[in-house]
Amino acid sequence: MAKIISVANQKGGVGKTTTTVNLAACLAKQGQRVLIVDIDPQGNATSGLGVDKHQERASIYEVLVGEADSPDAVIHTQVQNLDLLPSSIALAGAEVEMVSMMAREYVLQRALSGLSDRFDFILMDCPPSLGLLTVNALAASDCVLVPIQCEFYALEGLTQLMNSVHLVRKHLNPHLELLGVALTMFDTRTNLSSQVSEEVRRFFAEKVFETVIPRNIRLAEAPSYGQPILQYDARCPGAEAYLALSDEVLARVKGGK
């Protein structure tokens, strides 16, 4: 059965999609069968893997509204062992359509039930909000990974996010755990990054991954070429960091931490 991980933070621009795509690619490189579920209407994880999100095909939207079965919507990517359940523009209206559905918080969980035995990991790239799509992802997940950028507003809204995780655990998914917090966009040239890192580690203690993702131009360039960083520049600091993060994720999942 797959380990289902939501990559979530209601703040935009914190590295959710970058982390989802590159962590998934690194896990796939280590022989894990990985699926990315792009549940963000912006569809950046889809385009970041070189898939045209405007192309007519079954997507996560059709799966959520019952027009397609999830196995039929999964597509292979250019990365070995890495598949994708793509997003589409239509997903922007999915939350409105889901409001009237029975057990609307579990629509995604039901949709993924036919996929769990095909993969070792399912990573979900959540939208930058705490709306119904994110709630569905959390309700369907075993754990949540929270990227936090090493900038001034890093901790703003974090209490709200963790409160939402707590509410989902209490009312919808008692097995939901915090897998860890990943520090992203770390700039070694500034004291601010170090100060934010210290504050986050003080707040979350051992839940913070040791690996820190640096601010790296190659990481920023890779999505425009539709490639994970391992394909675009496997020797850059960003690629090395995500490989190290994948090692930590594997260790925590296998160790039950």
Side-chain angles (χ1 to χ4, degrees), residues 19 41-42 46 57 63 72 111 142 185 201 214 237 249 256:
T19 296
Q42 296 176 79
T46 297
R57 67 162 71 83
V63 171
D72 297 331
D142 298 303
M185 304 180 195
R201 290 187 187 280
V249 168

Side-chain angles (χ1 to χ4, degrees), residues 16 25 77 90 99 103 155 182 189 196 218-219 222 225 227 256:
K16 278 193 304 293
T77 72
V99 165
L155 298 178
R189 301 168 298 177
V196 171
R218 306 299 274 175
L219 275 176
Y225 292 88
Q227 295 179 330

Side-chain angles (χ1 to χ4, degrees), residues 107-122:
V107 175
L108 182 58
Q109 183 187 72
R110 294 194 297 270
L112 295 180
S113 62
L115 294 172
S116 190
D117 60 347
R118 291 174 48 180
F119 298 96
D120 300 304
F121 285 92
I122 296 177

Side-chain angles (χ1 to χ4, degrees), residues 162-210:
M162 297 316 298
N163 185 51
S164 296
V165 171
H166 172 73
L167 288 173
V168 169
R169 183 187 297 128
K170 182 178 180 181
H171 298 289
L172 301 173
N173 181 5
H175 305 293
L176 183 66
E177 297 179 352
L178 175 62
L179 178 65
V181 175
L183 294 165
T184 64
M185 304 180 195
F186 188 93
D187 192 338
T188 56
R189 301 168 298 177
T190 68
N191 290 329
L192 178 60
S193 283
S194 296
Q195 291 168 359
V196 171
S197 174
E198 290 173 8
E199 193 163 349
V200 171
R201 290 187 187 280
R202 186 162 54 247
F203 189 84
F204 285 103
E206 75 282 353
K207 283 296 185 179
V208 183
F209 291 106
E210 289 297 322

